[in-house]
Amino acid sequence: MEIHLWECQDKNIAENTACRIAVDNIEALYKEYQQAGVIHPNGALEEKPWGGKEFVALDMDGNGLFLFEDD
């Protein structure tokens, strides 16, 4: 899969826009992204009430990337 995001001069738009991506082995991916320092300040890995796990990473322009794994 390839996702194309672009720079947005309006920081408010970038900080309030996101996409959601299904992944496998979310714990390993989360550790990798933690080491890279790209986890959103409020986006720690957590189990969701509706099932599955999710965390939020940020790209270089501040776009939110919700990464999730269903049960």
Side-chain angles (χ1 to χ4, degrees):
M1 170 178 33
E2 196 170 307
I3 299 172
H4 294 267
L5 302 171
W6 54 91
E7 181 178 5
C8 178
Q9 298 302 319
D10 184 338
K11 191 100 169 125
N12 186 53
I13 292 172
E15 290 175 351
N16 291 286
T17 304
C19 71
R20 199 161 184 260
I21 304 164
V23 300
D24 293 323
N25 199 4
I26 197 166
E27 290 88 1
L29 187 60
Y30 182 72
K31 288 179 186 177
E32 181 182 332
Y33 281 32
Q34 268 187 315
Q35 291 173 347
V38 297
I39 302 297
H40 185 284
N42 299 316
L45 179 64
E46 61 182 12
E47 296 218 16
K48 294 299 186 178
W50 54 85
K53 297 178 182 176
E54 181 176 291
F55 73 90
V56 184
L58 296 171
D59 75 0
M60 294 173 21
D61 295 313
N63 296 296
L65 305 172
F66 284 73
L67 297 121
F68 74 96
E69 183 174 37
D70 289 327
D71 290 337

